[in-house]
mmCIF file of all heavy atoms in Angstrom:
data_model
loop_
_atom_site.group_PDB
_atom_site.id
_atom_site.type_symbol
_atom_site.label_atom_id
_atom_site.label_comp_id
_atom_site.label_asym_id
_atom_site.label_seq_id
_atom_site.Cartn_x
_atom_site.Cartn_y
_atom_site.Cartn_z
ATOM 1 N N ALA A 37 1.993 -1.892 -8.317
ATOM 2 C CA ALA A 37 1.737 -1.021 -9.473
ATOM 3 C C ALA A 37 1.635 0.450 -9.070
ATOM 4 O O ALA A 37 1.865 1.334 -9.889
ATOM 5 C CB ALA A 37 0.457 -1.467 -10.188
ATOM 6 N N GLY A 40 4.938 0.697 -5.724
ATOM 7 C CA GLY A 40 6.144 0.144 -6.341
ATOM 8 C C GLY A 40 6.701 1.026 -7.432
ATOM 9 O O GLY A 40 7.910 1.154 -7.576
ATOM 10 N N LEU A 41 5.816 1.632 -8.216
ATOM 11 C CA LEU A 41 6.295 2.375 -9.387
ATOM 12 C C LEU A 41 6.357 3.878 -9.189
ATOM 13 O O LEU A 41 7.055 4.573 -9.926
ATOM 14 C CB LEU A 41 5.406 2.050 -10.601
ATOM 15 C CG LEU A 41 5.473 0.599 -11.086
ATOM 16 C CD1 LEU A 41 4.604 0.406 -12.324
ATOM 17 C CD2 LEU A 41 6.909 0.173 -11.377
ATOM 18 N N GLN A 42 5.659 4.414 -8.178
ATOM 19 C CA GLN A 42 5.548 5.876 -8.065
ATOM 20 C C GLN A 42 6.903 6.567 -7.893
ATOM 21 O O GLN A 42 7.051 7.738 -8.211
ATOM 22 C CB GLN A 42 4.604 6.266 -6.916
ATOM 23 C CG GLN A 42 5.158 5.970 -5.531
ATOM 24 C CD GLN A 42 4.170 6.290 -4.410
ATOM 25 O OE1 GLN A 42 3.002 6.570 -4.643
ATOM 26 N NE2 GLN A 42 4.635 6.248 -3.175
ATOM 27 N N ASN A 43 7.879 5.828 -7.395
ATOM 28 C CA ASN A 43 9.181 6.399 -7.078
ATOM 29 C C ASN A 43 10.217 6.185 -8.179
ATOM 30 O O ASN A 43 11.352 6.621 -8.052
ATOM 31 C CB ASN A 43 9.676 5.743 -5.782
ATOM 32 C CG ASN A 43 10.594 6.638 -5.010
ATOM 33 O OD1 ASN A 43 10.502 7.855 -5.104
ATOM 34 N ND2 ASN A 43 11.500 6.043 -4.250
ATOM 35 N N GLU A 44 9.811 5.471 -9.242
ATOM 36 C CA GLU A 44 10.763 5.198 -10.339
ATOM 37 C C GLU A 44 11.164 6.497 -11.014
ATOM 38 O O GLU A 44 10.302 7.301 -11.374
ATOM 39 C CB GLU A 44 10.110 4.271 -11.387
ATOM 40 C CG GLU A 44 10.102 2.824 -11.002
ATOM 41 C CD GLU A 44 11.505 2.251 -10.816
ATOM 42 O OE1 GLU A 44 12.375 2.519 -11.652
ATOM 43 O OE2 GLU A 44 11.717 1.536 -9.820
ATOM 44 N N LYS A 45 12.448 6.670 -11.204
ATOM 45 C CA LYS A 45 12.946 7.932 -11.781
ATOM 46 C C LYS A 45 12.555 8.058 -13.250
ATOM 47 O O LYS A 45 12.064 9.089 -13.684
ATOM 48 C CB LYS A 45 14.475 8.006 -11.642
ATOM 49 C CG LYS A 45 14.956 8.028 -10.198
ATOM 50 C CD LYS A 45 14.729 9.388 -9.516
ATOM 51 C CE LYS A 45 14.966 9.347 -8.016
ATOM 52 N NZ LYS A 45 13.946 8.610 -7.242
ATOM 53 N N SER A 46 12.816 6.990 -14.044
ATOM 54 C CA SER A 46 12.470 7.134 -15.461
ATOM 55 C C SER A 46 11.054 6.635 -15.704
ATOM 56 O O SER A 46 10.605 5.663 -15.071
ATOM 57 C CB SER A 46 13.472 6.387 -16.347
ATOM 58 O OG SER A 46 13.735 5.141 -15.775
ATOM 59 N N LEU A 47 10.372 7.308 -16.598
ATOM 60 C CA LEU A 47 8.956 7.008 -16.810
ATOM 61 C C LEU A 47 8.765 5.595 -17.358
ATOM 62 O O LEU A 47 9.391 5.206 -18.346
ATOM 63 C CB LEU A 47 8.338 8.027 -17.774
ATOM 64 C CG LEU A 47 8.111 9.437 -17.211
ATOM 65 C CD1 LEU A 47 7.385 10.315 -18.224
ATOM 66 C CD2 LEU A 47 7.330 9.398 -15.883
ATOM 67 N N VAL A 48 7.918 4.845 -16.705
ATOM 68 C CA VAL A 48 7.605 3.480 -17.147
ATOM 69 C C VAL A 48 6.432 3.614 -18.129
ATOM 70 O O VAL A 48 5.413 4.229 -17.793
ATOM 71 C CB VAL A 48 7.193 2.609 -15.933
ATOM 72 C CG1 VAL A 48 6.827 1.205 -16.374
ATOM 73 C CG2 VAL A 48 8.317 2.585 -14.892
ATOM 74 N N PRO A 49 6.564 3.065 -19.339
ATOM 75 C CA PRO A 49 5.470 3.210 -20.310
ATOM 76 C C PRO A 49 4.159 2.626 -19.784
ATOM 77 O O PRO A 49 4.168 1.619 -19.062
ATOM 78 C CB PRO A 49 5.959 2.420 -21.525
ATOM 79 C CG PRO A 49 7.433 2.267 -21.338
ATOM 80 C CD PRO A 49 7.694 2.303 -19.864
ATOM 81 N N VAL A 50 3.063 3.253 -20.175
ATOM 82 C CA VAL A 50 1.761 2.830 -19.666
ATOM 83 C C VAL A 50 1.449 1.374 -20.045
ATOM 84 O O VAL A 50 0.820 0.640 -19.276
ATOM 85 C CB VAL A 50 0.653 3.827 -20.113
ATOM 86 C CG1 VAL A 50 0.408 3.755 -21.603
ATOM 87 C CG2 VAL A 50 -0.616 3.633 -19.315
ATOM 88 N N GLU A 51 1.943 0.933 -21.216
ATOM 89 C CA GLU A 51 1.679 -0.466 -21.622
ATOM 90 C C GLU A 51 2.389 -1.436 -20.669
ATOM 91 O O GLU A 51 1.880 -2.531 -20.406
ATOM 92 C CB GLU A 51 2.190 -0.777 -23.045
ATOM 93 C CG GLU A 51 1.740 0.171 -24.142
ATOM 94 C CD GLU A 51 2.555 1.452 -24.146
ATOM 95 O OE1 GLU A 51 3.790 1.369 -24.149
ATOM 96 O OE2 GLU A 51 1.951 2.553 -24.127
ATOM 97 N N VAL A 52 3.563 -1.039 -20.177
ATOM 98 C CA VAL A 52 4.297 -1.905 -19.237
ATOM 99 C C VAL A 52 3.529 -1.963 -17.911
ATOM 100 O O VAL A 52 3.375 -3.036 -17.310
ATOM 101 C CB VAL A 52 5.743 -1.396 -19.024
ATOM 102 C CG1 VAL A 52 6.433 -2.142 -17.894
ATOM 103 C CG2 VAL A 52 6.534 -1.522 -20.323
ATOM 104 N N LYS A 53 3.000 -0.826 -17.475
ATOM 105 C CA LYS A 53 2.219 -0.825 -16.227
ATOM 106 C C LYS A 53 0.979 -1.715 -16.372
ATOM 107 O O LYS A 53 0.639 -2.492 -15.467
ATOM 108 C CB LYS A 53 1.787 0.611 -15.890
ATOM 109 C CG LYS A 53 2.944 1.501 -15.484
ATOM 110 C CD LYS A 53 2.460 2.932 -15.286
ATOM 111 C CE LYS A 53 3.622 3.838 -14.907
ATOM 112 N NZ LYS A 53 3.314 5.263 -15.043
ATOM 113 N N ALA A 54 0.313 -1.587 -17.533
ATOM 114 C CA ALA A 54 -0.903 -2.390 -17.750
ATOM 115 C C ALA A 54 -0.551 -3.882 -17.756
ATOM 116 O O ALA A 54 -1.260 -4.709 -17.152
ATOM 117 C CB ALA A 54 -1.569 -1.980 -19.062
ATOM 118 N N GLU A 55 0.547 -4.216 -18.407
ATOM 119 C CA GLU A 55 0.953 -5.626 -18.459
ATOM 120 C C GLU A 55 1.332 -6.126 -17.051
ATOM 121 O O GLU A 55 1.043 -7.271 -16.685
ATOM 122 C CB GLU A 55 2.130 -5.769 -19.445
ATOM 123 C CG GLU A 55 2.636 -7.188 -19.647
ATOM 124 C CD GLU A 55 1.592 -8.163 -20.186
ATOM 125 O OE1 GLU A 55 0.559 -7.720 -20.733
ATOM 126 O OE2 GLU A 55 1.815 -9.381 -20.024
ATOM 127 N N PHE A 56 1.959 -5.267 -16.271
ATOM 128 C CA PHE A 56 2.320 -5.620 -14.888
ATOM 129 C C PHE A 56 1.041 -5.973 -14.106
ATOM 130 O O PHE A 56 0.973 -7.015 -13.442
ATOM 131 C CB PHE A 56 3.045 -4.427 -14.250
ATOM 132 C CG PHE A 56 3.621 -4.664 -12.876
ATOM 133 C CD1 PHE A 56 4.173 -5.894 -12.515
ATOM 134 C CD2 PHE A 56 3.648 -3.629 -11.940
ATOM 135 C CE1 PHE A 56 4.723 -6.098 -11.239
ATOM 136 C CE2 PHE A 56 4.197 -3.816 -10.672
ATOM 137 C CZ PHE A 56 4.731 -5.049 -10.324
ATOM 138 N N PRO A 80 5.026 12.732 -11.292
ATOM 139 C CA PRO A 80 4.960 12.619 -12.757
ATOM 140 C C PRO A 80 4.828 11.173 -13.242
ATOM 141 O O PRO A 80 4.199 10.903 -14.257
ATOM 142 C CB PRO A 80 6.292 13.230 -13.227
ATOM 143 C CG PRO A 80 6.816 14.010 -12.066
ATOM 144 C CD PRO A 80 6.218 13.450 -10.817
ATOM 145 N N GLN A 81 5.403 10.241 -12.487
ATOM 146 C CA GLN A 81 5.361 8.830 -12.904
ATOM 147 C C GLN A 81 3.915 8.331 -13.060
ATOM 148 O O GLN A 81 3.644 7.462 -13.876
ATOM 149 C CB GLN A 81 6.099 7.977 -11.862
ATOM 150 C CG GLN A 81 6.166 6.497 -12.148
ATOM 151 C CD GLN A 81 6.927 6.141 -13.404
ATOM 152 O OE1 GLN A 81 6.325 5.799 -14.422
ATOM 153 N NE2 GLN A 81 8.253 6.225 -13.360
ATOM 154 N N LEU A 82 2.995 8.898 -12.272
ATOM 155 C CA LEU A 82 1.618 8.398 -12.330
ATOM 156 C C LEU A 82 0.683 9.369 -13.063
ATOM 157 O O LEU A 82 -0.545 9.286 -12.929
ATOM 158 C CB LEU A 82 1.104 8.082 -10.914
ATOM 159 C CG LEU A 82 1.957 7.063 -10.123
ATOM 160 C CD1 LEU A 82 1.286 6.693 -8.805
ATOM 161 C CD2 LEU A 82 2.231 5.784 -10.918
ATOM 162 N N ALA A 83 1.256 10.247 -13.856
ATOM 163 C CA ALA A 83 0.438 11.192 -14.632
ATOM 164 C C ALA A 83 -0.458 10.457 -15.634
ATOM 165 O O ALA A 83 -1.450 11.007 -16.106
ATOM 166 C CB ALA A 83 1.348 12.172 -15.368
ATOM 167 N N ASP A 84 -0.098 9.210 -15.922
ATOM 168 C CA ASP A 84 -0.873 8.435 -16.905
ATOM 169 C C ASP A 84 -1.993 7.612 -16.250
ATOM 170 O O ASP A 84 -2.489 6.651 -16.843
ATOM 171 C CB ASP A 84 0.075 7.493 -17.666
ATOM 172 C CG ASP A 84 0.787 6.520 -16.709
ATOM 173 O OD1 ASP A 84 0.499 6.527 -15.493
ATOM 174 O OD2 ASP A 84 1.640 5.735 -17.180
ATOM 175 N N GLU A 87 -5.107 7.021 -18.361
ATOM 176 C CA GLU A 87 -4.789 6.175 -19.525
ATOM 177 C C GLU A 87 -4.646 4.705 -19.097
ATOM 178 O O GLU A 87 -5.120 3.788 -19.784
ATOM 179 C CB GLU A 87 -3.464 6.676 -20.097
ATOM 180 C CG GLU A 87 -3.328 6.575 -21.587
ATOM 181 C CD GLU A 87 -1.920 6.989 -21.996
ATOM 182 O OE1 GLU A 87 -1.387 7.976 -21.437
ATOM 183 O OE2 GLU A 87 -1.348 6.305 -22.852
ATOM 184 N N LEU A 88 -3.999 4.504 -17.946
ATOM 185 C CA LEU A 88 -3.791 3.132 -17.459
ATOM 186 C C LEU A 88 -5.133 2.465 -17.150
ATOM 187 O O LEU A 88 -5.394 1.330 -17.583
ATOM 188 C CB LEU A 88 -2.902 3.150 -16.201
ATOM 189 C CG LEU A 88 -2.680 1.805 -15.526
ATOM 190 C CD1 LEU A 88 -1.990 0.811 -16.479
ATOM 191 C CD2 LEU A 88 -1.842 1.956 -14.250
ATOM 192 N N LEU A 262 9.342 -3.873 -4.876
ATOM 193 C CA LEU A 262 9.457 -2.530 -5.457
ATOM 194 C C LEU A 262 8.879 -1.512 -4.485
ATOM 195 O O LEU A 262 8.023 -1.844 -3.681
ATOM 196 C CB LEU A 262 8.604 -2.446 -6.731
ATOM 197 C CG LEU A 262 8.993 -3.290 -7.928
ATOM 198 C CD1 LEU A 262 7.902 -3.198 -8.980
ATOM 199 C CD2 LEU A 262 10.313 -2.797 -8.481
ATOM 200 N N TRP A 304 10.244 -10.453 -14.810
ATOM 201 C CA TRP A 304 9.909 -9.687 -16.016
ATOM 202 C C TRP A 304 9.946 -8.181 -15.714
ATOM 203 O O TRP A 304 10.534 -7.401 -16.468
ATOM 204 C CB TRP A 304 8.513 -10.117 -16.509
ATOM 205 C CG TRP A 304 7.969 -9.244 -17.598
ATOM 206 C CD1 TRP A 304 8.241 -9.324 -18.934
ATOM 207 C CD2 TRP A 304 7.084 -8.128 -17.440
ATOM 208 N NE1 TRP A 304 7.575 -8.325 -19.603
ATOM 209 C CE2 TRP A 304 6.862 -7.593 -18.725
ATOM 210 C CE3 TRP A 304 6.441 -7.543 -16.341
ATOM 211 C CZ2 TRP A 304 6.024 -6.482 -18.930
ATOM 212 C CZ3 TRP A 304 5.616 -6.438 -16.550
ATOM 213 C CH2 TRP A 304 5.413 -5.924 -17.830
ATOM 214 N N MET A 305 9.360 -7.782 -14.591
ATOM 215 C CA MET A 305 9.316 -6.355 -14.242
ATOM 216 C C MET A 305 10.728 -5.820 -13.988
ATOM 217 O O MET A 305 11.041 -4.700 -14.379
ATOM 218 C CB MET A 305 8.430 -6.148 -13.005
ATOM 219 C CG MET A 305 8.001 -4.721 -12.810
ATOM 220 S SD MET A 305 7.019 -4.114 -14.215
ATOM 221 C CE MET A 305 7.301 -2.363 -14.042
ATOM 222 N N GLN A 308 12.229 -4.940 -17.135
ATOM 223 C CA GLN A 308 11.699 -3.667 -17.675
ATOM 224 C C GLN A 308 12.379 -2.478 -16.998
ATOM 225 O O GLN A 308 12.638 -1.463 -17.618
ATOM 226 C CB GLN A 308 10.173 -3.543 -17.445
ATOM 227 C CG GLN A 308 9.340 -4.707 -17.925
ATOM 228 C CD GLN A 308 9.547 -4.991 -19.397
ATOM 229 O OE1 GLN A 308 9.494 -4.084 -20.219
ATOM 230 N NE2 GLN A 308 9.829 -6.247 -19.721
ATOM 231 N N LEU A 309 12.639 -2.615 -15.689
ATOM 232 C CA LEU A 309 13.207 -1.496 -14.930
ATOM 233 C C LEU A 309 14.733 -1.465 -15.000
ATOM 234 O O LEU A 309 15.368 -0.500 -14.579
ATOM 235 C CB LEU A 309 12.764 -1.567 -13.456
ATOM 236 C CG LEU A 309 11.244 -1.479 -13.223
ATOM 237 C CD1 LEU A 309 10.927 -1.675 -11.734
ATOM 238 C CD2 LEU A 309 10.678 -0.151 -13.700
ATOM 239 N N GLY A 310 15.306 -2.557 -15.482
ATOM 240 C CA GLY A 310 16.760 -2.588 -15.670
ATOM 241 C C GLY A 310 17.557 -2.809 -14.400
ATOM 242 O O GLY A 310 18.730 -2.445 -14.323
ATOM 243 N N ARG A 311 16.929 -3.391 -13.379
ATOM 244 C CA ARG A 311 17.722 -3.738 -12.186
ATOM 245 C C ARG A 311 17.037 -4.896 -11.462
ATOM 246 O O ARG A 311 15.824 -5.078 -11.553
ATOM 247 C CB ARG A 311 17.884 -2.539 -11.263
ATOM 248 C CG ARG A 311 16.620 -1.947 -10.775
ATOM 249 C CD ARG A 311 16.863 -0.963 -9.625
ATOM 250 N NE ARG A 311 15.585 -0.752 -8.971
ATOM 251 C CZ ARG A 311 14.644 0.038 -9.446
ATOM 252 N NH1 ARG A 311 14.817 0.688 -10.577
ATOM 253 N NH2 ARG A 311 13.498 0.163 -8.823
#
Side-chain angles (χ1 to χ4, degrees):
L41 295 182
Q42 70 183 10
N43 208 28
E44 280 299 315
K45 297 285 169 289
S46 43
L47 287 185
V48 178
V50 69
E51 308 79 51
V52 171
K53 291 175 181 165
E55 182 60 18
F56 186 36
Q81 181 63 255
L82 303 187
D84 60 4
E87 214 185 319
L88 176 61
L262 294 172
W304 170 83
M305 197 61 204
Q308 307 303 311
L309 299 175
R311 58 167 197 282

